[in-house]
Amino acid sequence: MRLLVATMNEGKLREYQRLLADVTGLELETMASLSERVDVEEDQDTFAGNAQKKAIELAAASGLTCLADDSGLEVDALGGRPGVFSARYAGEGASDEKNNLKLLEELRGVPDQLRTARFRCVICVADPDGREVALVDGTCEGRIGREPKGEHGFGYDPLFIPDGFTQTMAELGPETKNQISHRAKAAAKLVTLLRELPTP
Ligand code: ITT
């Protein structure tokens, strides 16, 4: 099956290429295979709503089975923010660096035990007729550090210290991240579901 990994985020794309590498019969396509750029407005108020919207619209536009995820960071001391606004927390089109700085600023003075947070990922797969064929999720619990550390990953990885570790996700690197992350957990559920789908 050809599967379009519908993301403009290079970091996510790299992770899916690794996470789905060993699935037999799956041929991954990237947005580069689309003849024209398709923008989907992420205007839903849940991760699931945005993932469904992206997968369904991009499947229809590409004529391919399509995987989309909506993901982000929920910080307890901020009442779950930035949540679905994670990519544009510091403003539309904000860089990862700006988002991280804003997060540190908002958490200034918050003690370690209250800096708990989680990454959340919802993956939706839609077939070329725009029918949802899978909806799965995954979370990764941790806490927000005091300064950005590490070079791997993307987004909030330099600030996020997963439970059970002392280093940030950006210090831990892709092998560890792909075993423990929200995206890895959701992808593992997806692989189980895809294996159960009847082959045409
Ligand atoms: P697409 O919609 O094109 O996939 P995007 O970056 O806009 O790309 P989202 O709307 O899902 O994707 O926003 C996710 C944001 O949440 C992302 O930009 C990061 O800031 C953050 N995020 C999600 N997963 C992350 C991860 O594994 N590590 C660090 N930050 C992450």
Side-chain angles (χ1 to χ4, degrees):
M1 178 172 78
R2 288 170 76 202
L3 181 69
L4 174 68
V5 182
T7 179
M8 300 298 288
N9 181 318
E10 292 286 330
K12 273 191 198 179
L13 177 63
R14 271 196 304 275
E15 290 181 15
Y16 282 116
Q17 284 169 330
R18 287 189 185 212
L19 291 168
L20 301 175
D22 296 334
V23 185
T24 333
L26 209 56
E27 199 184 313
L28 298 187
E29 302 280 344
T30 70
M31 296 292 260
S33 66
L34 295 189
S35 52
E36 59 187 56
R37 193 189 153 120
V38 185
D39 285 315
V40 179
E41 204 187 337
E42 292 180 40
D43 54 4
Q44 306 297 298
D45 54 13
T46 61
F47 290 115
N50 281 323
Q52 288 167 312
K53 189 174 176 197
K54 278 195 261 189
I56 288 166
E57 288 188 21
L58 282 154
S62 64
L64 291 170
T65 300
C66 188
L67 174 159
D69 93 23
D70 194 35
S71 47
L73 181 70
E74 294 174 350
V75 179
D76 294 327
L78 302 179
R81 286 188 299 119
V84 292
F85 298 105
S86 292
R88 51 208 147 113
Y89 177 43
E92 205 60 54
S95 63
D96 290 342
E97 208 179 3
K98 280 208 166 144
N99 285 333
N100 282 320
L101 282 177
K102 177 167 178 184
L103 182 57
L104 284 178
E105 192 56 41
E106 279 214 274
L107 291 181
R108 197 201 287 254
V110 176
D112 285 346
Q113 69 273 20
L114 296 180
R115 296 172 81 92
T116 49
R118 72 205 48 77
F119 279 130
R120 197 180 286 283
C121 172
V122 177
I123 301 175
C124 180
V125 175
D127 72 13
D129 295 324
R131 276 186 304 241
E132 181 181 309
V133 293
L135 189 69
V136 289
D137 66 351
T139 56
C140 179
E141 298 286 335
R143 66 191 164 82
I144 305 301
R146 299 276 174 181
E147 56 177 343
K149 284 186 188 166
E151 301 298 326
H152 298 286
F154 67 96
Y156 299 93
D157 283 342
L159 285 180
F160 186 83
I161 303 166
D163 280 356
F165 294 85
T166 52
Q167 291 169 297
T168 68
M169 201 71 112
E171 291 177 295
L172 290 170
E175 259 178 48
T176 305
K177 183 174 180 185
N178 284 339
Q179 283 168 11
I180 64 169
S181 81
H182 49 316
R183 190 162 292 106
K185 289 177 188 165
K189 291 185 193 170
L190 179 68
V191 168
T192 306
L193 273 183
L194 291 179
R195 290 207 169 108
E196 286 165 1
L197 278 185
T199 40

